[in-house]
Amino acid sequence: MKLSVIREVRTNNFNDSEIINKIQTLWNDSMQDIQKLNYKGNIYGVYHKYESNYQGDYTVSIMIEDNKKGIELSLENYKIFNEEKTDKESVFLTWHKIWKLEEDGKLHRAYTYDFEKYDPSGRIEIYIKEK
């Protein structure tokens, strides 16, 4: 799968007082750009360029599928978390579940590329790369 970056921002889950504003602005601006492209496929929130683990700085990018250019992601060694609900709160709660699994030694993350996949139907899946 090849993904092309629309926009990205650097942040931190615990030490960035502007995280909510940064991510909301990133999504809003990216969705405007995506509408201009008349793109109708899956949209991805990609987490990468990790400083360390989920407590360190990282980059979040909004990406779309693009077979001509972009980064190549293999779907090998990913644990997939399927969302029952399709809202921001359920995604947030799933990330907390992921962090807890990691803290409990039940999930061993590679910290390369993790992503949220937003299907046009509203379905959300979170992919976590394992070691």
Side-chain angles (χ1 to χ4, degrees):
M1 170 175 70
K2 279 192 175 180
L3 300 178
S4 181
V5 175
I6 301 298
R7 290 179 183 256
E8 61 186 18
V9 69
R10 190 107 176 124
T11 191
N12 183 296
N13 292 322
F14 302 96
N15 298 323
D16 186 350
S17 62
E18 292 296 315
I19 187 171
I20 293 171
N21 184 51
K22 283 181 178 181
I23 291 178
Q24 285 177 338
T25 300
L26 173 69
W27 274 103
N28 291 339
D29 292 349
S30 295
M31 293 308 293
Q32 289 177 9
D33 294 344
I34 290 168
Q35 284 180 331
K36 290 175 187 172
L37 295 171
N38 202 29
Y39 177 78
K40 303 290 185 207
N42 296 322
I43 299 172
Y44 299 84
V46 180
Y47 301 85
H48 57 113
K49 299 179 186 170
Y50 289 101
E51 176 185 74
S52 56
N53 59 17
Y54 71 91
Q55 296 175 347
D57 291 354
Y58 63 92
T59 297
V60 60
S61 302
I62 307 306
M63 299 186 184
I64 58 174
E65 293 179 24
D66 187 340
N67 291 328
K68 297 176 186 166
K69 63 180 180 175
I71 62 165
E72 182 79 36
L73 284 184
S74 165
L75 295 180
E76 291 180 26
N77 298 325
Y78 275 92
K79 181 166 179 67
I80 302 170
F81 295 83
N82 293 297
E83 290 300 310
E84 297 293 323
K85 298 178 184 174
T86 56
D87 59 34
K88 294 175 190 173
E89 185 178 340
S90 65
V91 171
F92 181 75
L93 292 174
T94 299
W95 277 106
H96 279 271
K97 177 181 171 183
I98 291 165
W99 299 338
K100 177 80 168 109
L101 288 170
E102 186 175 8
E103 288 171 0
D104 292 346
K106 296 178 182 173
L107 180 65
H108 304 282
R109 294 176 62 186
Y111 285 100
T112 54
Y113 288 92
D114 301 310
F115 59 92
E116 300 161 356
K117 176 182 174 184
Y118 294 86
D119 181 278
S121 71
R123 183 178 171 166
I124 303 170
E125 297 175 327
I126 298 177
Y127 289 69
I128 300 297
K129 181 78 167 186
E130 294 185 282
K131 290 182 184 177

